[in-house]
Amino acid sequence: MRRFLPLALLLAWPLTAEPALEACREHQEHGRRAEARRCYRAMLEAEADARRQAEAYWKLGDRKRANESFRAAVAMRPKDAAARVAWGRLFLETYNRAEASKLFQEALGIDPQSAEAHLGLALVASEGFESAAVEQANQALKLRPDLTEAHDLLASLALEEEDPKEAVEHLDRALATKGCPLQAYALKAAIDFLAGRSSSEWVTKALAYNPTYGEVYSIPARFFVITRRYKEAVGLYRQAVALDPELWDAHAQLGVNLWRLGEEAEARRHLETAYRGDPYSAVTVNSLRLMDSLKRFKTFSSPRMVLKLQEKEADLLRPYVEELLGKAIETYRVKYGFTPAQPVQLEMYPDHEDFAVRTMGMPGLGALGVTFGYVVAMDSPSARPPGSFHWGSTLWHELCHVFVLERTHHKAPRWLSEGLSVYEETLAGEGWGDRMTPDVILAIKNKKLLPVAELDRGFVRPTYPAQVPVSYFQAGAICELVASKWGFPKLLAMLDAYSAGRGTEEVFEQALGLKAAEFDKEFAEFLRARTEKVVTSFEPEWRKLMENVVRLAREKKFAEVMEPARRARDLYPDYVEPGNAYEILAEAMLAAGDKEGAAREQERYRVAGGRSPRALKKLAALDSELGRRDDAIHVLGQLLWIFPGDEELLARLGDLLLEEKQAQRAVRELESLLALKPIDPAGAHYNLARAYYQLQDREKTREHLLEALEAAPGYRPAQKLLLEINR
Amino acid sequence: MAPAPEVGGGVRTEVQKHKWLMAAFLVLVAPALRAQTGATYFLIVGGLGGEPDYEQRFAAYVKDLEQICRSAAGDPARVTTLSGKTATKQAIQAALDSLARATTPADSLAVFLIGHGTFDGTTYKFNIPGPDVTGEELRGLLDRIPAGRQLVVNATSSSGVCAEVLARENRIVVTATRSGTERNATVFARYWVEALRDPAADADKNESISALEAFRYAEEKVKRFYADQKRLATEHPRLEGKLAASFVLARLGSAAVAATDPARRKMLARREGLEQQIDALKYKKSALPAEQYKKELERLLLELARVEDAIEAAGGKQTTP
């Protein structure tokens, strides 16, 4: 999703007074494309200067030759900073941020006063939502206060942070310069549309200046995408491509966002159009490739849900996903007082990079799931190493977004939507939701939490590496405070107020009778009471304690490790990562022959959010040994929401359920086991036959016995059951 | 433990119980192996780990294997273990020399190498304290051993190259890697040991685990390990040799005892005949209508089950001590 499109080409050399080019640029700026092309072609024939040739090739759409000409220009004039800046802009347009950045840096090495190079770096940073964008744009303006595009960029960045007031200030400054006003018009139009107006005088002005300026719609559309209002974005992108069918990025974005709404066929058409016009776009190429790979997905539809699961794992996952998704839809329907107007579509990707492409069009996304509205995409349980994420919790989190976004027509701010999702997943089950990580503890200790009115910034443009997860934690804790002190209905009231277009200040006053700043004080006190112990002891006490605990455990000094491990556990109970105090204590207790104690400790680990399949299976084995089969079944049942594709887990759970005469559930787990193509198919079929035998389903019993005995004719228990049903 | 299921669950329930506890002692075997093939001898060598984590892992695998092999051999004297400082080249040579003297063509020999291996493009070396042992040196030592059936499981990195170096008509060679160029530390040993303890490895449910079944189990587990961990697989296990399906490494019940009981010879012959008919039917499966195949299969399976019942009734269910 490009911030500014072909217009940027006009602005690459705003200061280069070159009469031969000016006429061509003039045509281009006003949308006289045929004239502009003729002009550039004529210039190419007459012009020997490589840099000017580069611009002409670029404007004529021949980026390869433009690149070659820039290379020649830079070789001829190694001290020409402007040529490097322009070349950098070509790379930026062709999605190569790394090369672009390098050229802008080289330009600054030659000319530290190059405002255009700073602007280039600002644009690179802004594409990655990095906070350096603002710094670099301001630096550019310090050097050249009339640099129109830098004002436009700052306005755009302000709008990303939902600060239209500041954006208007920047735009007024932009319009006071002599530069091209089109981007400023488009951004002013965006402010109008975001405020809920259906038309804008700025569109009229832009089209009077350039009748084919499709960006007047595509630039506003981008802000609707950022605020997850995909329907509105799609409407604007449609207008953009209607005005300018060669606006390839708008076609690509239209495709991506139609797909987010579940309109795959139309999405593909626009992505293919985009590819024909701009084959450099990784977003377009990745999206089309992923669409092709979706042929290997199975779709399961019902009135309430549509599941898209990769064919290799569809049979395994379907029963669990259907159960949890159905439960989530019903829970949220009641709790949020909202009935979905259409089925919820859930797509699960076993390859995380496919999920990232589905989400952003590009690989490299850190998230586990994303909700576009009624369409949810997420990593499947097999997308990450076992135990590294809780897919059930992620699904629960994302489903909350569906209800919050749709209930508020996508107007809930990011912090509240994420906060509610975090809050809800924590309530969904023992050990569900995220734990307080060391990053969160350090952020609290170093007073890095944001005021609630600015919390969205922590999600959109983080200023330190862990700020996004810290913001999730903070948002969740805010919702917890509101629900516990004022009651959950107040959270719904806040959603309604945002839905009605109120700002955060108004929302807090209206819903809680507090100013946002007063709420921040309440929240600080709430957090202090909840986290003081761990925040004050984390460094150095807890860290040193854990170093000692881990050393003692490695040296197998189990008697000595008990006391410090207990202290470490109690100081920071949320710490369930590898090497945690719970597992060390359990190991020490087992070494001392205390199975009860070990099981108790492992259970604490589970409830605290421990997710290691190995540790949880160990707990289930201990429970079984101690005669607590119900507990073992519960533990293994919970492990299904973490990593169901585990043959040992499914076989153990199937066995336990059979022993407990829970045949119906045993059938589900054993069918899942078969879907995994187990190492022991005969054993799995035999157990399934046992389950059906308990259910008195003679035909299914026979069917699975024959399967078992076909693989292993001498399998005595299966033989005996076959004789029994034939008696 | 839960009561047995309604019917036919007794034996299986025992198996399941132990499966979940991962007990080693299901492998009850010595007389069976001896009866079929003469005696089986085992040599286990644990090489250098290079760092504490690997040292610990290798030592644990060696210990587990030793326990399994002792149970399988019946006579602990037929199991030789060299691990840590004792696993020198000289000690390996001495152990293999001793086996060359002790075994006859009727006997079987299983050799397990756990640890790291290297391959410089020409020579494979098993990393042990002092001078390493090369693949060629191992072949020379093994070739002098008269045991008529030999199994070499080389679970080290780069071990794939040994599949060619050690190949011989009467020898099965299992390696953790496809070639000498797969140089990363392997996880194969872990799953090989697990195979010998897990009844799930007994794919045909004949109550014994053959080298082929153990290999398939370990191969699948290695594949899943890398898939689950989202890591590029750096080892691809390999099996060479024709005897793997019949080289029994562990028995889980009484099948071997039954096979040697002359009183039941007639019934055993009938059982063998039925098993052959079932195999023949399975071979024709794609050519037969599904219903006909199913009907015929069930008929044969039922008959086989009745013969098994009769064998059992004639001799009572026996388990090895």
Side-chain angles (χ1 to χ4, degrees):
Chain A
M1 188 167 44
R2 316 309 304 280
R3 188 173 302 274
F4 303 122
L5 282 157
L7 182 64
L9 319 191
L10 301 171
L11 303 169
W13 285 293
L15 276 190
T16 323
E18 292 172 279
L21 283 169
E22 285 306 321
C24 305
R25 290 176 186 166
E26 180 77 6
H27 289 308
Q28 183 91 1
E29 190 171 317
H30 288 280
R32 297 188 294 269
R33 289 188 184 168
E35 290 89 334
R37 281 192 183 119
R38 270 199 299 278
C39 179
Y40 282 121
R41 274 194 211 105
M43 207 189 78
L44 266 182
E45 282 170 21
E47 185 58 71
D49 180 76
R51 211 180 74 177
R52 291 191 196 105
Q53 280 188 334
E55 182 176 350
Y57 280 128
W58 187 359
K59 304 297 161 55
L60 288 167
D62 190 342
R63 289 158 170 173
K64 275 192 181 168
R65 282 194 175 169
N67 187 35
E68 285 159 16
S69 298
F70 273 128
R71 186 174 291 115
V74 165
M76 272 188 289
R77 289 199 292 267
K79 295 288 172 195
D80 185 351
R84 281 183 161 75
V85 171
W87 196 9
R89 293 297 291 262
L90 175 66
F91 276 112
L92 197 55
E93 193 197 75
T94 50
Y95 312 94
N96 191 337
R97 285 165 57 196
E99 277 303 312
S101 183
K102 207 170 115 193
L103 284 160
F104 297 140
Q105 294 285 8
E106 283 175 14
L108 281 175
I110 296 164
D111 176 11
Q113 303 301 307
S114 169
E116 289 77 9
H118 281 292
L119 173 63
L121 288 174
L123 286 166
V124 170
S126 73
E127 296 265 322
F129 289 90
E130 293 159 24
S131 54
V134 176
E135 292 154 30
Q136 290 291 345
N138 279 324
Q139 185 61 29
L141 285 172
K142 210 165 150 188
L143 295 163
R144 259 198 62 195
D146 64 340
L147 192 57
T148 316
E149 205 184 358
H151 289 296
D152 291 336
L153 177 61
L154 285 169
S156 175
L157 296 171
L159 263 191
E160 278 174 14
E161 289 183 15
E162 296 179 50
D163 188 346
K165 202 173 144 216
E166 191 187 329
V168 167
E169 286 167 16
H170 288 298
L171 293 173
D172 288 342
R173 283 183 211 126
L175 290 172
T177 66
K178 290 180 182 168
C180 176
L182 283 170
Q183 284 182 6
Y185 291 158
L187 289 164
K188 287 241 180 189
I191 293 169
D192 285 346
F193 293 141
L194 287 166
R197 290 177 206 114
S198 56
S199 62
S200 167
E201 59 174 311
W202 300 102
V203 171
T204 315
K205 284 189 184 184
L207 296 182
Y209 193 93
N210 177 345
T212 63
Y213 186 58
E215 291 95 326
V216 77
Y217 292 115
S218 66
I219 288 175
R222 185 174 166 275
F223 297 98
F224 284 92
V225 174
I226 290 173
T227 50
R228 298 179 290 182
R229 292 158 71 180
Y230 305 109
K231 274 184 199 157
E232 291 91 331
V234 160
L236 288 164
Y237 280 126
R238 281 191 206 282
Q239 287 181 277
V241 298
L243 206 54
D244 180 0
E246 291 181 16
L247 206 46
W248 312 122
D249 187 65
H251 277 291
Q253 286 306 318
L254 181 52
V256 165
N257 288 289
L258 278 166
W259 195 14
R260 286 172 174 165
L261 297 176
E263 303 291 336
E264 195 174 324
E266 194 188 350
R268 178 183 276 277
R269 281 202 299 279
H270 284 286
L271 283 164
E272 283 171 349
T273 304
Y275 180 74
R276 283 193 293 275
D278 177 12
Y280 294 91
S281 165
V283 169
T284 307
V285 174
N286 289 338
S287 299
L288 283 168
R289 278 190 187 147
L290 180 59
M291 278 183 166
D292 287 341
S293 76
L294 285 182
K295 285 172 196 153
R296 292 189 293 276
F297 277 59
K298 281 186 178 174
T299 302
F300 306 98
S301 302
S302 71
R304 288 203 306 174
M305 60 181 86
V306 177
L307 295 187
K308 285 181 182 271
L309 303 172
Q310 219 268 355
E311 60 188 8
K312 280 187 187 165
E313 56 184 23
D315 291 343
L316 166 73
L317 295 181
R318 186 183 173 188
Y320 306 113
V321 178
E322 278 182 347
E323 179 192 317
L324 194 61
L325 187 54
K327 192 175 160 197
I329 289 172
E330 190 50 25
T331 304
Y332 289 129
R333 187 188 68 77
V334 173
K335 193 167 181 181
Y336 285 75
F338 175 81
T339 301
Q342 64 185 72
V344 175
Q345 177 169 316
L346 175 68
E347 301 167 9
M348 292 181 108
Y349 292 89
D351 182 337
H352 173 74
E353 297 306 355
D354 282 348
F355 158 68
V357 168
R358 178 68 171 101
T359 306
M360 304 289 288
M362 296 290 284
L365 179 72
L368 302 165
V370 69
T371 302
F372 303 119
Y374 284 111
V375 177
V376 176
M378 61 180 279
D379 277 344
S380 96
S382 64
R384 290 167 184 261
S388 61
F389 98 115
H390 192 301
W391 72 270
S393 194
T394 301
L395 186 152
W396 203 264
H397 177 111
E398 296 306 327
L399 257 288
C400 185
H401 283 314
V402 173
F403 284 76
V404 167
L405 292 179
E406 293 302 331
R407 189 184 197 273
T408 61
H409 310 288
H410 291 234
K411 286 182 182 167
R414 182 80 186 266
W415 76 264
L416 183 53
S417 187
E418 296 297 357
L420 282 166
S421 284
V422 169
Y423 169 71
E424 291 291 356
E425 65 175 314
T426 310
L427 293 181
E430 292 159 337
W432 289 43
D434 289 331
R435 311 268 71 81
M436 186 163 39
T437 61
D439 284 335
V440 171
I441 294 170
L442 291 174
I444 296 171
K445 188 174 183 176
N446 299 324
K447 305 200 181 312
K448 285 188 164 180
L449 300 194
L450 293 168
V452 67
E454 294 172 31
L455 188 48
D456 266 11
R457 196 154 46 82
F459 294 97
V460 178
R461 188 163 294 105
T463 54
Y464 57 92
Q467 194 169 18
V468 172
V470 167
S471 300
Y472 271 88
F473 171 84
Q474 185 184 350
I478 286 173
C479 291
E480 195 185 328
L481 168 61
V482 174
S484 61
K485 184 163 181 180
W486 288 276
F488 180 77
K490 291 292 181 192
L491 286 163
L492 296 180
M494 291 169 85
L495 287 177
D496 290 340
Y498 277 116
S499 188
R502 309 256 186 282
T504 297
E505 281 294 346
E506 275 181 284
V507 166
F508 272 83
E509 286 213 34
Q510 192 178 312
L512 307 183
L514 282 179
K515 289 187 182 308
E518 289 169 339
F519 177 82
D520 286 334
K521 283 182 193 160
E522 287 257 2
F523 178 67
E525 185 50 36
F526 168 77
L527 202 61
R528 189 196 59 73
R530 240 183 68 171
T531 62
E532 190 172 32
K533 191 162 98 177
V534 65
V535 169
T536 50
S537 64
F538 180 69
E539 277 184 335
E541 187 186 351
W542 182 83
R543 276 198 196 275
K544 281 193 173 167
L545 202 52
M546 276 310 288
E547 271 174 33
N548 189 35
V549 165
V550 169
R551 183 182 56 80
L552 289 170
R554 278 207 182 126
E555 292 169 3
K556 301 207 179 299
K557 293 179 177 169
F558 293 125
E560 285 175 57
V561 83
M562 298 262 203
E563 193 277 328
R566 280 198 185 99
R567 266 199 297 142
R569 177 199 67 194
D570 294 342
L571 282 176
Y572 184 5
D574 265 12
Y575 191 76
V576 289
E577 301 308 311
N580 61 79
Y582 299 99
E583 286 189 88
I584 289 172
L585 268 171
E587 193 186 355
M589 287 172 181
L590 272 184
D594 180 4
K595 287 184 182 174
E596 274 290 352
R600 206 166 43 244
E601 213 50 53
Q602 292 278 28
E603 174 66 8
R604 277 196 181 126
Y605 162 80
R606 185 185 73 80
V607 173
R611 289 165 184 182
S612 153
R614 184 191 49 76
L616 296 177
K617 283 188 282 188
K618 202 162 140 190
L619 168 60
L622 277 171
D623 282 335
S624 285
E625 263 189 82
L626 294 165
R628 298 192 293 251
R629 281 206 296 261
D630 281 349
D631 290 347
I633 288 172
H634 180 67
V635 170
L636 295 176
Q638 286 296 307
L639 187 49
L640 291 169
W641 309 121
I642 296 171
F643 191 71
D646 179 334
E647 195 173 328
E648 188 192 0
L649 157 69
L650 293 166
R652 280 175 77 170
L653 188 52
D655 270 355
L656 285 165
L657 290 164
L658 279 174
E659 285 169 16
E660 289 297 295
K661 302 280 186 286
Q662 296 183 37
Q664 196 62 60
R665 210 181 135 195
V667 164
R668 184 181 79 168
E669 319 309 4
L670 293 165
E671 291 280 12
S672 298
L673 176 62
L674 276 177
L676 273 182
K677 297 191 172 37
I679 286 169
D680 181 13
H685 278 294
Y686 167 63
N687 278 334
L688 205 43
R690 286 171 64 204
Y692 282 118
Y693 186 69
Q694 283 186 13
L695 292 170
Q696 300 181 327
D697 185 336
R698 214 178 160 80
E699 268 320 294
K700 287 272 188 190
T701 306
R702 181 190 309 275
E703 184 188 312
H704 285 287
L705 281 176
L706 290 184
E707 293 272 8
L709 288 165
E710 184 186 32
Y715 191 7
R716 285 297 285 143
Q719 286 181 340
K720 289 185 177 181
L721 188 51
L722 185 66
L723 287 171
E724 174 69 23
I725 64 166
N726 279 284
R727 206 162 276 159
Chain B
M1 199 60 204
E6 297 75 9
V7 287
V11 173
R12 180 62 179 166
T13 305
E14 277 310 295
V15 169
Q16 284 156 354
K17 173 180 172 183
H18 289 280
K19 179 177 169 184
W20 302 136
L21 300 176
M22 296 298 280
F25 303 106
L26 273 170
V27 189
L28 309 165
V29 218
L33 294 184
R34 195 165 48 240
Q36 280 190 339
T37 63
T40 301
Y41 291 78
F42 295 90
L43 171 63
I44 306 159
V45 190
L48 287 173
E51 53 188 82
D53 184 27
Y54 284 116
E55 294 287 357
Q56 278 181 15
R57 274 193 234 179
F58 295 160
Y61 299 149
V62 168
K63 196 176 157 197
D64 289 347
L65 257 183
E66 185 179 35
Q67 197 177 27
I68 292 164
C69 294
R70 278 176 181 230
S71 197
D75 179 357
R78 285 199 286 269
V79 180
T80 307
T81 304
L82 301 169
S83 183
K85 287 176 189 169
T86 66
T88 61
K89 186 172 180 174
Q90 202 179 5
I92 293 169
Q93 283 170 336
L96 289 168
D97 282 346
S98 168
L99 286 164
R101 289 190 296 275
T103 61
T104 69
D107 294 328
S108 300
L109 168 69
V111 177
F112 303 103
L113 305 178
I114 311 283
H116 296 305
T118 54
F119 179 60
D120 61 8
T122 321
T123 306
Y124 166 83
K125 287 180 181 172
F126 178 44
N127 301 162
I128 47 174
D132 292 340
V133 176
T134 68
E136 284 74 12
E137 286 167 342
L138 269 175
R139 183 185 58 200
L141 292 164
L142 287 164
D143 284 354
R144 288 167 41 215
I145 296 175
R149 288 149 50 90
Q150 298 185 6
L151 165 69
V152 181
V153 180
N154 186 344
T156 69
S157 39
S158 293
S159 54
V161 71
C162 290
E164 284 89 26
V165 175
L166 300 180
R168 217 175 82 163
E169 181 65 24
N170 66 335
R171 187 177 295 146
I172 308 151
V173 185
V174 171
T175 61
T177 74
R178 183 187 292 150
S179 66
T181 53
E182 290 188 327
R183 294 190 168 96
N184 290 358
T186 62
V187 295
F188 180 80
R190 170 180 160 188
Y191 296 115
W192 179 268
V193 175
E194 196 178 298
L196 301 183
R197 308 169 102 176
D198 188 349
D202 176 19
D204 60 7
K205 301 295 169 204
N206 66 350
E207 299 187 326
S208 63
I209 296 172
S210 67
L212 183 62
E213 284 174 326
F215 174 77
R216 284 184 178 153
Y217 177 100
E219 182 188 34
E220 182 62 27
K221 289 269 182 165
V222 166
K223 204 168 106 189
R224 288 186 194 179
F225 169 84
Y226 286 100
D228 286 350
Q229 296 300 320
K230 301 284 153 202
R231 284 164 54 180
L232 192 67
T234 51
E235 63 189 288
H236 299 83
R238 187 173 165 188
L239 182 148
E240 296 294 335
K242 295 172 187 165
L243 307 171
S246 60
F247 197 109
V248 175
L249 281 165
R251 284 192 191 277
L252 309 173
S254 59
V257 180
T260 58
D261 185 346
R264 283 173 280 165
R265 200 168 295 153
K266 197 176 166 190
M267 284 183 282
L268 293 174
R270 175 70 184 135
R271 180 177 76 180
E272 202 177 326
L274 283 166
E275 283 171 350
Q276 283 170 3
Q277 286 181 58
I278 291 168
D279 278 346
L281 179 68
K282 279 156 72 172
Y283 189 72
K284 291 191 290 188
K285 185 176 181 178
S286 58
L288 290 174
E291 269 314 303
Q292 188 187 332
Y293 171 79
K294 218 166 141 182
K295 211 171 157 186
E296 182 60 10
L297 180 68
E298 186 171 6
R299 187 187 67 76
L300 290 170
L301 288 171
L302 268 169
E303 202 174 336
L304 181 63
R306 288 186 189 110
V307 170
E308 289 280 13
D309 263 6
I311 293 170
E312 206 172 286
K317 191 73 185 171
Q318 292 179 44
T319 52
T320 45

